[in-house]
Amino acid sequence: MPKSEFYQTVPEVTGEQGARKQSFYDSYSRQKLDPSDPAVFRNSLLDFVRSNKLVADALIAGNVQMLGFSEVRKSFGERWPSIKDKILLLAETVIKKNTGPADAFLMVNEEQIVILFGGGDKEKATRSSEKIAREINEKLSGVSGIKEGLVTCRALVLELDPKTPIEALTTPEGLSQTVDAAQRKEEDVERQHFEALRSELHVSYWPMANIRKKLISAYSASVILPIWKASGEEQTHTGVFNCELDCYMLTQAGEALMRAGRQRRALLIVPVHFDTLATKPLRQQFIAACQLLPRLSSKRILLEIVDLAEGVPQGRLHTLLSFVGPFFAGFVARQPLSFRTPERFVGLKMMAVAADGSHVGTPARDDVERMQGFAKACGKARMRSIFYGASTFEAATAARRCNYDYLQGAAVAPAVADPGRVYLLK
């Protein structure tokens, strides 16, 4: 068929249908802001601000940070530009997939992407940003040559100050600086909230019973927060509050270990949030706290990873844990009772997997089945299983019958002010 005849068979889209089609693709192409043309960039930002000021009191921005580029740039040499472009294209594809025509984004540089969410719905923006970060992190594991965990995507949703002059947003540098200032403000607020309650914090240590050996051979550190913290008044968005809390507990645990003297010391389990290890600035702060630990910590302290999502690749976990590995005797992963894949922790110096059973009072049949499945899976992977929060005699008995290696909770032994030595249970 001649080319001209083929094109004659394609109907021409006109009228209202054509207008709808053109309007959709125009809005989709306007998602990515082009910083190469200052006039076009300025007009696009002004259009976005005008349209969103009508539906929101403050502009909602997502700060997507590709952390760790500086750590891998030197290893690629002349190949770095192609690797960088591959990662940024990956990030752009994910962002376009999870944003709508009313949103806009700017590739500020290789380590920062700013997303402007239309509509002023912060909860929806938060869900989209978390999904973007999660998908980028999953896809980064497939980029050739980059060790898993060295480049990490982090997304924060921020409200830009309504008093910010519009002109401050009409250049790429101004927009980036405004978003950075909003993030620093939230980080400072979280840091101030932590400092305000530091004097009210109380760290206690729960004895852990080794069922088979009939010993109190470990203690788990736990922090008691004021009631207003538990009520939700304080929420951590940037991770700074949790990082400050992690560093505080680690410091307290190190001091408690020294107070125990030269007696036969038990193991001490100290929790840390996964984001504290996964986010470079927070990880650096935590490592600084690790460097102040007594040398004995490398033999007596186990670091417990909490808030660890099931989809984190094993390679990424290995990289992140290697940063702090020399300071500790090993690691513990806290997982839900439904967890059944401990084999992904093999080779990570993971000594045990812990489950929080504080919600289990008098165990129902479903509770017992989940408890049994958890302990059995750990046993197959040759990892110790820990049952936390046994608050009733019935829960502790059920955990013992399910063959957990360690039990902890009010029904086992009360919390103490300092971790002690190993005790024989009679």
Side-chain angles (χ1 to χ4, degrees), residues 152-170:
T152 304
C153 180
R154 179 195 188 200
L156 301 173
V157 174
L158 309 163
E159 288 189 8
L160 303 187
D161 189 347
K163 298 180 181 179
T164 302
I166 293 181
E167 291 299 324
L169 305 175
T170 56

Side-chain angles (χ1 to χ4, degrees), residues 225-404:
L225 298 177
I227 295 177
W228 66 267
K229 171 62 176 71
S231 68
E233 180 180 333
E234 163 62 37
Q235 296 180 354
T236 178
H237 301 290
T238 67
V240 167
F241 184 92
N242 284 342
C243 180
E244 293 283 349
L245 187 62
D246 294 336
C247 294
Y248 173 83
M249 289 193 66
L250 188 65
T251 301
Q252 295 295 311
E255 294 175 357
L257 198 64
M258 293 300 294
R259 288 195 298 270
R262 294 185 176 274
Q263 58 183 319
R264 189 185 176 192
R265 300 180 183 90
L267 291 172
L268 181 55
I269 299 177
V270 182
V272 63
H273 293 84
F274 176 71
D275 282 347
T276 298
L277 300 179
T279 306
K280 182 182 175 182
L282 305 182
R283 181 172 67 242
Q284 290 175 330
Q285 181 179 344
F286 187 74
I287 290 175
C290 292
Q291 292 171 340
L292 300 177
L293 288 172
R295 188 174 301 178
L296 186 64
S297 67
S298 62
K299 296 181 180 180
R300 308 310 301 169
I301 294 183
L302 300 178
L303 191 65
E304 182 183 15
I305 318 300
V306 299
D307 295 339
L308 175 58
E310 190 170 347
V312 180
Q314 186 184 40
R316 186 180 179 211
L317 274 176
H318 183 274
T319 302
L320 295 177
L321 297 184
S322 66
F323 288 116
V324 296
F327 301 104
F328 303 101
F331 300 99
V332 176
R334 190 182 301 183
Q335 295 289 291
L337 283 172
S338 58
F339 179 73
R340 297 293 182 271
T341 55
E343 59 273 5
R344 71 188 182 99
F345 296 143
V346 174
L348 300 179
K349 205 178 173 182
M350 197 71 72
M351 309 297 290
V353 184
D356 182 6
S358 57
H359 63 283
V360 180
T362 301
R365 182 175 180 177
D366 290 344
D367 295 324
V368 174
E369 289 178 354
R370 284 194 294 269
M371 292 164 66
Q372 287 177 336
F374 185 97
K376 187 177 180 179
C378 292
K380 284 185 177 180
R382 296 186 177 181
M383 289 186 180
R384 296 173 181 86
S385 55
I386 301 174
F387 188 84
Y388 277 146
S391 57
T392 64
F393 176 78
E394 291 79 9
T397 302
R400 182 181 62 80
R401 290 176 177 173
C402 291
N403 297 318
Y404 279 80

Side-chain angles (χ1 to χ4, degrees), residues 6-27:
F6 171 79
Y7 279 103
Q8 287 176 3
T9 64
V10 179
E12 183 179 359
V13 180
T14 59
E16 183 180 351
Q17 181 182 359
R20 285 199 303 268
K21 183 176 180 181
Q22 183 69 21
S23 174
F24 172 79
Y25 284 106
D26 281 347
S27 62

Side-chain angles (χ1 to χ4, degrees), residues 58-65 112 115-117 122 125-126 129 155-161 178-187 237-238:
L59 294 178
I60 305 298
N63 193 16
V64 179
Q65 298 165 302
Q112 183 184 30
I115 306 175
L116 296 174
F117 290 98
K122 190 171 182 178
T126 299
S129 296
L156 301 173
V157 174
L158 309 163
E159 288 189 8
L160 303 187
D161 189 347
T178 302
V179 172
D180 288 342
Q183 178 173 331
R184 287 194 300 272
K185 182 178 179 180
E186 288 209 13
E187 290 175 348
H237 301 290
T238 67

Side-chain angles (χ1 to χ4, degrees), residues 31-43:
Q31 278 184 290
K32 185 176 181 181
L33 299 172
D34 182 11
S36 61
D37 189 330
V40 173
F41 183 88
R42 184 178 188 277
N43 291 334

